[in-house]
Amino acid sequence: MMGDTLRAAAFLDKGGVGKTTTVAHLGVALQEQGLEVLLIDLAGKQGDLSKHLGIWSGYQDEIEDDDAWPNISTVFDDSWSTITKKLGEAATTGLVIETGEGPDLIPAHPGLDTLDAELGNIDDAQERYNRLRNFLDEHVDPLGYDAVLIDLPGLSNNVTYNGLWAARNVIVPVEPGSFEDEQADALQIDLKRIGENFNIGIDLALVLPNKIDTRRTLDREYLETFETKFPDAIAPEHVPYSQDIRNATESGQTAFSLEDPSTTADQAQASYLSASAALLDRLSDKNE
Ligand SMILES: Nc1ncnc2c1ncn2[C@@H]1O[C@H](COP(=O)(O)OP(=O)(O)OP(=O)(O)O)[C@@H](O)[C@H]1O
Ligand SMILES: [Mg+2]
């Protein structure tokens, strides 16, 4: 398996479940285990992942000064192959920003705003959904990262499909609640349907129960439901509800860099570490 870049994308057709938080924390957790990790933010121009990792304002300045070209939306353009012929590897390395937390990041860009519509204009479905995959195969894999994690929007569109196509492995954060439970079921059916339609396999690689308060009966019941429904993909431990995570997010860091973590933040760190180890096992097995 050495030398292969593992890939996974965080997705659920629902906002606010913790996709971005999960990508940030699993990224740091994989780095802690000695992997070199690249994160890619496809989740929209608001740049949540950049904010979470404390690099948003710097990148905002670049965008305002018109220095953010090429950017993540450029790699989907027809012109990308011309750009890379001209700039070589620098076209891709120029997209990457180092974060203070370990993982590198290709941040979101306002160009993502119109990307869904632009992709929609491509008639051929293989072509429409394969742009990101081609970019990763041809330009990112040669950079030698051990793992690439992709943050996706909380809705199904052409950008999302590019992420799923490229990664073939999905990380699903789930919150307690009947709606969330149904969404996770629906996703499993969707992935199967996509796989059959396009003759590719997209696997549920990790289901990570998030924002769990085990003092609540309902939360404990949903934990059991998730374990029963997703026996192969369920994370070893859930991520607790933690005010520290919310605060850390807002101050542009992960729970791993808190100086004085609360009990729930400590627990969250341990959960992300065990989840990242499980993810690594599953993706490595598949790549063999
Ligand atoms: N375990 C947790 N405990 C407490 N708050 C959390 C936890 N996980 C995530 N949050 C908070 O929940 C909110 C939504 O999380 P996040 O942005 O990661 O969700 P998302 O699925 O990426 O949302 P969107 O669909 O809008 O992109 C954030 O304010 C985040 O700090
Ligand atoms: Mg998000």
Side-chain angles (χ1 to χ4, degrees), residues 15-21 41 43 46 48-49 151-154:
V17 288
K19 295 179 292 296
T20 303
T21 309
D41 187 356
Q46 73 284 0
D48 287 342
L49 194 54
D151 191 19
L152 294 176

Side-chain angles (χ1 to χ4, degrees), residues 14-21 210-211 239-242 245-246 249:
K14 163 118 198 327
V17 288
K19 295 179 292 296
T20 303
T21 309
N210 188 29
K211 305 190 193 181
V239 177
Y241 184 90
S242 171
I245 289 193
R246 194 170 280 274
T249 308

Side-chain angles (χ1 to χ4, degrees), residues 10 14-21 40-60 63 72 105-114 151-155 157 159 249-250 252:
K14 163 118 198 327
V17 288
K19 295 179 292 296
T20 303
T21 309
I40 301 180
D41 187 356
L42 283 180
K45 66 165 180 189
Q46 73 284 0
D48 287 342
L49 194 54
S50 306
K51 287 179 191 153
H52 205 329
L53 294 165
I55 58 138
W56 180 240
S57 74
Y59 193 60
Q60 276 302 98
I63 291 172
I72 184 61
L105 171 67
I106 299 182
H109 182 274
L112 288 175
D113 242 12
T114 49
D151 191 19
L152 294 176
L155 72 159
N157 65 20
V159 178
T249 308
E250 267 160 38

Side-chain angles (χ1 to χ4, degrees), residues 177-186 188 204 207 221-234:
S178 59
F179 183 65
E180 284 67 20
D181 182 32
E182 281 163 26
Q183 294 290 114
D185 277 345
Q188 214 167 17
L204 215 49
V207 173
E221 282 172 10
Y222 273 109
L223 263 187
E224 266 178 43
T225 309
F226 295 140
E227 279 159 19
T228 313
K229 278 195 180 158
F230 307 105
D232 300 326
I234 193 81

Side-chain angles (χ1 to χ4, degrees), residues 13-36:
D13 206 336
K14 163 118 198 327
V17 288
K19 295 179 292 296
T20 303
T21 309
T22 302
V23 168
H25 284 82
L26 288 180
V28 177
L30 287 171
Q31 284 272 153
E32 299 253 318
Q33 302 187 49
L35 277 78
E36 290 295 330

Side-chain angles (χ1 to χ4, degrees), residues 41 79 95 140 144-145 155 190-191 196 204 228 230-231 257 261 275 287:
D41 187 356
S79 61
L95 304 171
V140 173
Y145 286 99
L155 72 159
D190 267 2
L191 294 180
E196 282 164 3
L204 215 49
T228 313
F230 307 105
S257 52
N287 264 28

